[in-house]
Amino acid sequence: MSMRNKIGLVVCGLLMLTMGAAAREAKPKEERRTVTMILDHTVLNLEYEFVPAAEAMPEDKFGFAPTNGEFKGVRTFAQQIKHVAAVNYELGAAILEEKPPVSINEENGPASITTKADILKYLKESFEYVHKAIATINEKNAVETVRSPFGEGSVSRMGLAISVAGHGYDHYGQMVEYLRMNGIVPPASRR
């Protein structure tokens, strides 16, 4: 091997080592996520899909509920939204160990809220409230129990926070079907 080739190999080796070191330094340090951050992010994911889906339905279709098949007695689109919002308030209040700050009307939301604008306001404010509640959960109290909002017994704060997303996504799936039945592609599917 000639001296020129040896020097070339050494230079290439040094270049690769330099690039590797630079890549390691450029890599951002992993952030330590707290229980609060993880739970809140879970609810944010739901919110970022649920609210745009609610906004996507025209107001004249807010009373829509499927009728073909076994759909007798199902909630309308508007009732789905109000129900999720009411349960958000109910779960948030349980986490905070207080009464819901607004009417939840047996998980149906206030009967007086009927316009799209008012329903969306109720929904968005319910997410603000549940975020406030989740902000009080930490590593020390996450598994401590509070009174269950669903009758006798107790549940952990973390369990209640996880229920926000689980419950919301259940109804989000139904809302997606309602949107598609009305020829509307859900916003999350447009990306």
Side-chain angles (χ1 to χ4, degrees), residues 99-133:
K99 289 184 179 185
V102 297
S103 170
I104 62 169
N105 187 24
E106 297 181 11
E107 297 182 354
N108 294 313
S112 61
I113 296 177
T114 57
T115 67
K116 179 178 178 177
D118 288 342
I119 292 168
L120 291 175
K121 182 176 185 277
Y122 183 68
L123 174 66
K124 290 174 184 178
E125 289 174 352
S126 79
F127 277 112
E128 288 174 17
Y129 182 71
V130 87
H131 285 298
K132 173 187 159 189

Side-chain angles (χ1 to χ4, degrees), residues 155-169:
V155 293
S156 70
R157 286 181 176 87
M158 184 184 305
L160 291 169
I162 291 168
S163 294
V164 173
H167 176 258
Y169 275 120

Side-chain angles (χ1 to χ4, degrees), residues 47-108:
E47 185 177 3
Y48 289 156
E49 290 191 16
F50 197 94
V51 172
E55 292 171 335
M57 185 70 90
E59 184 162 16
D60 66 329
K61 299 283 187 176
F62 258 50
F64 173 80
T67 54
N68 288 337
E70 297 294 322
F71 292 102
K72 186 177 181 182
V74 297
R75 290 183 174 101
T76 65
F77 190 82
Q79 289 168 335
Q80 296 279 355
I81 298 167
K82 287 172 50 173
H83 170 68
V84 167
V87 173
N88 283 352
Y89 278 116
E90 186 173 30
L91 293 170
I95 291 168
L96 294 168
E97 297 184 271
E98 63 186 31
K99 289 184 179 185
V102 297
S103 170
I104 62 169
N105 187 24
E106 297 181 11
E107 297 182 354
N108 294 313

Side-chain angles (χ1 to χ4, degrees), residues 15-42:
L15 183 60
M16 289 176 69
L17 286 172
T18 303
M19 288 174 46
R24 280 191 300 277
E25 286 179 24
K27 199 177 203 178
K29 290 184 180 178
E30 217 174 284
E31 176 184 1
R32 183 186 179 289
R33 292 184 178 97
T34 65
V35 168
T36 310
M37 293 166 68
I38 293 166
L39 294 173
D40 196 57
H41 190 74
T42 301

